[in-house]
Amino acid sequence: MANVSTTASVSRGNATRASGSSSSSLPGSRQNDGRASSATAGTTPLSDTDINNELLFKYGGMALGALLALKIIFTALNILSILVLPLVYLYLASNCPSNDTFDAKKELKRVMRGAHLPEEHQPKGFFEQGLNRLAASVTTELATSLGYEISMTDCFGAAKMATVKVPVANAEYYWIGVVGKWRYIGQREIPGN
């Protein structure tokens, strides 16, 4: 009977001591303070370094998985860009406006009128728009009456850059021709005049 109670005290730990049984005082029996020994339970408690190593492996594996996923995504995008870029270039080259479609006076009038500005900065009323158009026409005619210089730059056949130099206004104006339209980019003051 003593052997049975000894086995029960090992497997139940502190419960045997709390019940006040005297089986743990038998010769050959061991005191158990609640910690399972490697011989009886088969597992050892994890130390702080073991827990840290386990977390390190877990987060390291997650980081490697994320890097692998990013590598796959970037490889797919690279392959896609290799296939799509020639198609985009062909589309831009086929729809690039010719040099003949650029009318410097008309484009300058549009810029002076403020057609490139956002909606909230454009004139609102009918009379404001009319006066703005009149002022833009007069200003453009006066500025270009003494001459202006147009230069065109071809960008690999996909786009064209137009520069209009107006010495009277002391400014250079820039447009880019892409997808069949001329879009105003900006202006700068001519240095040295």
Side-chain angles (χ1 to χ4, degrees):
M1 190 72 164
N3 286 340
V4 173
S5 64
T6 304
T7 307
S9 68
V10 170
S11 66
R12 285 188 283 165
N14 287 335
T16 308
R17 242 187 313 149
S19 65
S21 84
S22 61
S23 63
S24 60
S25 62
L26 293 173
S29 67
R30 294 181 6 196
Q31 292 275 338
N32 191 359
D33 61 351
R35 283 182 268 167
S37 66
S38 62
T40 58
T43 60
T44 59
L46 294 176
S47 66
D48 288 340
T49 57
D50 291 338
I51 293 172
N52 288 341
N53 287 341
E54 185 179 318
L55 287 175
L56 183 66
F57 283 128
K58 178 181 173 185
Y59 292 140
M62 288 170 49
L64 282 174
L67 286 175
L68 182 66
L70 284 174
K71 174 76 173 166
I72 291 170
I73 289 170
F74 285 133
T75 303
L77 288 176
N78 191 22
I79 291 171
L80 186 64
S81 68
I82 289 171
L83 296 175
V84 171
L85 270 163
L87 295 175
V88 170
Y89 173 76
L90 289 174
Y91 176 75
L92 291 175
S94 66
N95 290 319
C96 186
S98 66
N99 292 350
D100 300 338
T101 59
F102 183 74
D103 184 8
K105 283 191 175 186
K106 182 181 113 181
E107 294 295 334
L108 277 172
K109 283 181 187 177
R110 291 183 66 199
V111 169
M112 299 290 181
R113 191 174 65 226
H116 64 285
L117 295 174
E119 193 68 35
E120 59 267 2
H121 293 293
Q122 292 185 0
K124 302 288 186 229
F126 176 74
F127 290 112
E128 278 185 70
Q129 288 177 352
L131 289 175
N132 197 20
R133 285 177 187 262
L134 180 64
S137 295
V138 170
T139 304
T140 302
E141 290 299 325
L142 287 175
T144 57
S145 63
L146 297 176
Y148 58 93
E149 181 182 330
I150 300 174
S151 64
M152 295 283 197
T153 306
D154 189 41
C155 301
F156 303 108
K160 296 195 181 199
M161 179 89 164
T163 305
V164 178
K165 184 177 181 180
V166 184
V168 174
N170 198 26
E172 280 184 337
Y173 299 91
Y174 301 97
W175 287 267
I176 189 165
V178 66
V179 193
K181 288 184 179 180
W182 291 97
R183 291 170 176 82
Y184 177 69
I185 297 174
Q187 74 181 45
R188 74 176 182 100
E189 193 172 314
I190 300 174
N193 284 351

